[in-house]
PDB file of all heavy atoms in Angstrom:
ATOM      1  N   GLU H 267     -16.463 -36.338  33.470  1.00 94.00           N
ATOM      2  CA  GLU H 267     -17.549 -35.453  33.225  1.00 94.00           C
ATOM      3  C   GLU H 267     -17.584 -34.417  34.340  1.00 94.00           C
ATOM      4  O   GLU H 267     -17.415 -34.724  35.458  1.00 94.00           O
ATOM      5  CB  GLU H 267     -18.856 -36.122  33.287  1.00 94.00           C
ATOM      6  CG  GLU H 267     -19.164 -36.995  31.974  1.00 94.00           C
ATOM      7  CD  GLU H 267     -20.517 -37.700  32.026  1.00 94.00           C
ATOM      8  OE1 GLU H 267     -21.189 -37.605  33.095  1.00 94.00           O
ATOM      9  OE2 GLU H 267     -20.926 -38.252  31.005  1.00 94.00           O
ATOM     10  N   VAL H 268     -17.796 -33.153  33.999  1.00 96.00           N
ATOM     11  CA  VAL H 268     -17.787 -32.096  34.994  1.00 96.00           C
ATOM     12  C   VAL H 268     -19.147 -31.319  34.801  1.00 96.00           C
ATOM     13  O   VAL H 268     -19.533 -30.988  33.651  1.00 96.00           O
ATOM     14  CB  VAL H 268     -16.663 -31.164  34.845  1.00 96.00           C
ATOM     15  CG1 VAL H 268     -16.702 -30.165  35.962  1.00 96.00           C
ATOM     16  CG2 VAL H 268     -15.392 -31.902  34.884  1.00 96.00           C
ATOM     17  N   ILE H 269     -19.950 -31.107  35.825  1.00 96.00           N
ATOM     18  CA  ILE H 269     -21.164 -30.428  35.765  1.00 96.00           C
ATOM     19  C   ILE H 269     -20.995 -28.989  36.081  1.00 96.00           C
ATOM     20  O   ILE H 269     -20.520 -28.616  37.157  1.00 96.00           O
ATOM     21  CB  ILE H 269     -22.251 -31.094  36.752  1.00 96.00           C
ATOM     22  CG1 ILE H 269     -22.371 -32.583  36.393  1.00 96.00           C
ATOM     23  CG2 ILE H 269     -23.587 -30.393  36.520  1.00 96.00           C
ATOM     24  CD1 ILE H 269     -23.061 -33.349  37.478  1.00 96.00           C
ATOM     25  N   PHE H 270     -21.408 -28.174  35.158  1.00 96.00           N
ATOM     26  CA  PHE H 270     -21.389 -26.666  35.319  1.00 96.00           C
ATOM     27  C   PHE H 270     -22.751 -26.253  35.394  1.00 96.00           C
ATOM     28  O   PHE H 270     -23.667 -26.746  34.832  1.00 96.00           O
ATOM     29  CB  PHE H 270     -20.747 -26.023  34.097  1.00 96.00           C
ATOM     30  CG  PHE H 270     -19.166 -26.107  34.021  1.00 96.00           C
ATOM     31  CD1 PHE H 270     -18.597 -27.307  33.713  1.00 96.00           C
ATOM     32  CD2 PHE H 270     -18.418 -24.959  34.141  1.00 96.00           C
ATOM     33  CE1 PHE H 270     -17.287 -27.393  33.549  1.00 96.00           C
ATOM     34  CE2 PHE H 270     -17.056 -25.107  34.053  1.00 96.00           C
ATOM     35  CZ  PHE H 270     -16.497 -26.330  33.798  1.00 96.00           C
ATOM     36  N   ASN H 271     -22.958 -25.274  36.266  1.00 95.00           N
ATOM     37  CA  ASN H 271     -24.318 -24.603  36.384  1.00 95.00           C
ATOM     38  C   ASN H 271     -24.419 -23.409  35.515  1.00 95.00           C
ATOM     39  O   ASN H 271     -23.574 -22.464  35.643  1.00 95.00           O
ATOM     40  CB  ASN H 271     -24.553 -24.206  37.908  1.00 95.00           C
ATOM     41  CG  ASN H 271     -26.005 -23.873  38.085  1.00 95.00           C
ATOM     42  OD1 ASN H 271     -26.649 -23.237  37.289  1.00 95.00           O
ATOM     43  ND2 ASN H 271     -26.576 -24.261  39.251  1.00 95.00           N
ATOM     44  N   VAL H 272     -25.415 -23.380  34.624  1.00 94.00           N
ATOM     45  CA  VAL H 272     -25.607 -22.255  33.732  1.00 94.00           C
ATOM     46  C   VAL H 272     -27.027 -21.771  33.948  1.00 94.00           C
ATOM     47  O   VAL H 272     -28.002 -22.252  33.465  1.00 94.00           O
ATOM     48  CB  VAL H 272     -25.432 -22.658  32.241  1.00 94.00           C
ATOM     49  CG1 VAL H 272     -25.503 -21.406  31.336  1.00 94.00           C
ATOM     50  CG2 VAL H 272     -24.060 -23.373  31.984  1.00 94.00           C
ATOM     51  N   HIS H 273     -27.076 -20.759  34.754  1.00 92.00           N
ATOM     52  CA  HIS H 273     -28.388 -20.085  35.121  1.00 92.00           C
ATOM     53  C   HIS H 273     -29.403 -21.118  35.520  1.00 92.00           C
ATOM     54  O   HIS H 273     -30.548 -21.145  34.910  1.00 92.00           O
ATOM     55  CB  HIS H 273     -28.874 -19.241  33.986  1.00 92.00           C
ATOM     56  CG  HIS H 273     -27.876 -18.219  33.451  1.00 92.00           C
ATOM     57  ND1 HIS H 273     -27.221 -17.336  34.324  1.00 92.00           N
ATOM     58  CD2 HIS H 273     -27.322 -18.043  32.344  1.00 92.00           C
ATOM     59  CE1 HIS H 273     -26.345 -16.534  33.620  1.00 92.00           C
ATOM     60  NE2 HIS H 273     -26.398 -17.035  32.412  1.00 92.00           N
ATOM     61  N   GLY H 274     -29.087 -22.071  36.366  1.00 92.00           N
ATOM     62  CA  GLY H 274     -30.001 -23.063  36.774  1.00 92.00           C
ATOM     63  C   GLY H 274     -30.044 -24.320  35.968  1.00 92.00           C
ATOM     64  O   GLY H 274     -30.613 -25.312  36.418  1.00 92.00           O
ATOM     65  N   HIS H 275     -29.470 -24.312  34.766  1.00 94.00           N
ATOM     66  CA  HIS H 275     -29.338 -25.508  34.006  1.00 94.00           C
ATOM     67  C   HIS H 275     -28.039 -26.198  34.221  1.00 94.00           C
ATOM     68  O   HIS H 275     -27.031 -25.608  34.076  1.00 94.00           O
ATOM     69  CB  HIS H 275     -29.398 -25.174  32.475  1.00 94.00           C
ATOM     70  CG  HIS H 275     -30.681 -24.456  32.038  1.00 94.00           C
ATOM     71  ND1 HIS H 275     -31.928 -25.226  31.867  1.00 94.00           N
ATOM     72  CD2 HIS H 275     -30.983 -23.217  31.851  1.00 94.00           C
ATOM     73  CE1 HIS H 275     -32.801 -24.330  31.514  1.00 94.00           C
ATOM     74  NE2 HIS H 275     -32.297 -23.126  31.454  1.00 94.00           N
ATOM     75  N   PRO H 276     -28.104 -27.492  34.685  1.00 95.00           N
ATOM     76  CA  PRO H 276     -26.830 -28.132  34.788  1.00 95.00           C
ATOM     77  C   PRO H 276     -26.324 -28.504  33.329  1.00 95.00           C
ATOM     78  O   PRO H 276     -27.064 -29.193  32.607  1.00 95.00           O
ATOM     79  CB  PRO H 276     -27.080 -29.412  35.601  1.00 95.00           C
ATOM     80  CG  PRO H 276     -28.594 -29.619  35.467  1.00 95.00           C
ATOM     81  CD  PRO H 276     -29.241 -28.275  35.093  1.00 95.00           C
ATOM     82  N   ILE H 277     -25.117 -28.209  33.020  1.00 96.00           N
ATOM     83  CA  ILE H 277     -24.540 -28.567  31.728  1.00 96.00           C
ATOM     84  C   ILE H 277     -23.354 -29.421  31.944  1.00 96.00           C
ATOM     85  O   ILE H 277     -22.374 -28.999  32.624  1.00 96.00           O
ATOM     86  CB  ILE H 277     -24.295 -27.416  30.746  1.00 96.00           C
ATOM     87  CG1 ILE H 277     -25.597 -26.745  30.376  1.00 96.00           C
ATOM     88  CG2 ILE H 277     -23.513 -27.835  29.602  1.00 96.00           C
ATOM     89  CD1 ILE H 277     -25.439 -25.608  29.354  1.00 96.00           C
ATOM     90  N   THR H 278     -23.293 -30.641  31.442  1.00 95.00           N
ATOM     91  CA  THR H 278     -22.202 -31.565  31.657  1.00 95.00           C
ATOM     92  C   THR H 278     -21.250 -31.469  30.555  1.00 95.00           C
ATOM     93  O   THR H 278     -21.635 -31.490  29.315  1.00 95.00           O
ATOM     94  CB  THR H 278     -22.725 -32.986  31.776  1.00 95.00           C
ATOM     95  OG1 THR H 278     -23.694 -32.999  32.818  1.00 95.00           O
ATOM     96  CG2 THR H 278     -21.585 -33.920  32.193  1.00 95.00           C
ATOM     97  N   VAL H 279     -19.974 -31.313  30.770  1.00 95.00           N
ATOM     98  CA  VAL H 279     -18.798 -31.348  29.722  1.00 95.00           C
ATOM     99  C   VAL H 279     -18.067 -32.691  29.901  1.00 95.00           C
ATOM    100  O   VAL H 279     -17.986 -33.204  31.006  1.00 95.00           O
ATOM    101  CB  VAL H 279     -17.970 -30.219  29.867  1.00 95.00           C
ATOM    102  CG1 VAL H 279     -18.754 -28.849  29.731  1.00 95.00           C
ATOM    103  CG2 VAL H 279     -17.079 -30.214  31.068  1.00 95.00           C
ATOM    104  N   PHE H 280     -17.475 -33.115  28.852  1.00 95.00           N
ATOM    105  CA  PHE H 280     -16.525 -34.231  28.939  1.00 95.00           C
ATOM    106  C   PHE H 280     -15.128 -33.682  28.740  1.00 95.00           C
ATOM    107  O   PHE H 280     -14.899 -32.846  27.809  1.00 95.00           O
ATOM    108  CB  PHE H 280     -16.824 -35.294  27.939  1.00 95.00           C
ATOM    109  CG  PHE H 280     -15.803 -36.424  27.872  1.00 95.00           C
ATOM    110  CD1 PHE H 280     -15.572 -37.207  28.988  1.00 95.00           C
ATOM    111  CD2 PHE H 280     -14.857 -36.456  26.820  1.00 95.00           C
ATOM    112  CE1 PHE H 280     -14.548 -38.227  28.985  1.00 95.00           C
ATOM    113  CE2 PHE H 280     -13.839 -37.443  26.809  1.00 95.00           C
ATOM    114  CZ  PHE H 280     -13.650 -38.297  27.912  1.00 95.00           C
ATOM    115  N   THR H 281     -14.181 -34.098  29.523  1.00 95.00           N
ATOM    116  CA  THR H 281     -12.793 -33.659  29.333  1.00 95.00           C
ATOM    117  C   THR H 281     -11.863 -34.776  29.625  1.00 95.00           C
ATOM    118  O   THR H 281     -12.109 -35.586  30.584  1.00 95.00           O
ATOM    119  CB  THR H 281     -12.466 -32.410  30.195  1.00 95.00           C
ATOM    120  OG1 THR H 281     -11.026 -32.154  30.005  1.00 95.00           O
ATOM    121  CG2 THR H 281     -12.681 -32.674  31.655  1.00 95.00           C
ATOM    122  N   THR H 282     -10.805 -34.860  28.868  1.00 94.00           N
ATOM    123  CA  THR H 282      -9.694 -35.805  29.216  1.00 94.00           C
ATOM    124  C   THR H 282      -8.707 -35.184  30.167  1.00 94.00           C
ATOM    125  O   THR H 282      -7.802 -35.841  30.592  1.00 94.00           O
ATOM    126  CB  THR H 282      -8.952 -36.283  27.955  1.00 94.00           C
ATOM    127  OG1 THR H 282      -8.487 -35.166  27.224  1.00 94.00           O
ATOM    128  CG2 THR H 282      -9.847 -37.152  27.109  1.00 94.00           C
ATOM    129  N   ARG H 283      -8.871 -33.840  30.337  1.00 94.00           N
ATOM    130  CA  ARG H 283      -7.906 -33.188  31.284  1.00 94.00           C
ATOM    131  C   ARG H 283      -8.608 -32.504  32.398  1.00 94.00           C
ATOM    132  O   ARG H 283      -8.537 -31.261  32.509  1.00 94.00           O
ATOM    133  CB  ARG H 283      -7.094 -32.153  30.431  1.00 94.00           C
ATOM    134  CG  ARG H 283      -6.128 -32.744  29.446  1.00 94.00           C
ATOM    135  CD  ARG H 283      -5.036 -33.553  30.069  1.00 94.00           C
ATOM    136  NE  ARG H 283      -4.168 -32.784  30.922  1.00 94.00           N
ATOM    137  CZ  ARG H 283      -3.131 -32.149  30.590  1.00 94.00           C
ATOM    138  NH1 ARG H 283      -2.749 -32.106  29.246  1.00 94.00           N
ATOM    139  NH2 ARG H 283      -2.400 -31.431  31.468  1.00 94.00           N
ATOM    140  N   PRO H 284      -9.240 -33.252  33.251  1.00 95.00           N
ATOM    141  CA  PRO H 284      -9.957 -32.679  34.427  1.00 95.00           C
ATOM    142  C   PRO H 284      -8.967 -31.848  35.314  1.00 95.00           C
ATOM    143  O   PRO H 284      -9.324 -30.974  36.018  1.00 95.00           O
ATOM    144  CB  PRO H 284     -10.573 -33.845  35.151  1.00 95.00           C
ATOM    145  CG  PRO H 284      -9.772 -35.021  34.716  1.00 95.00           C
ATOM    146  CD  PRO H 284      -9.330 -34.728  33.305  1.00 95.00           C
TER     147      PRO H 284
END
Side-chain angles (χ1 to χ4, degrees):
Chain H
E267 283 180 355
V268 184
I269 303 164
F270 286 68
N271 190 322
V272 185
H273 308 305
H275 300 280
I277 293 186
T278 306
V279 303
F280 172 70
T281 176
T282 54
R283 291 298 298 271

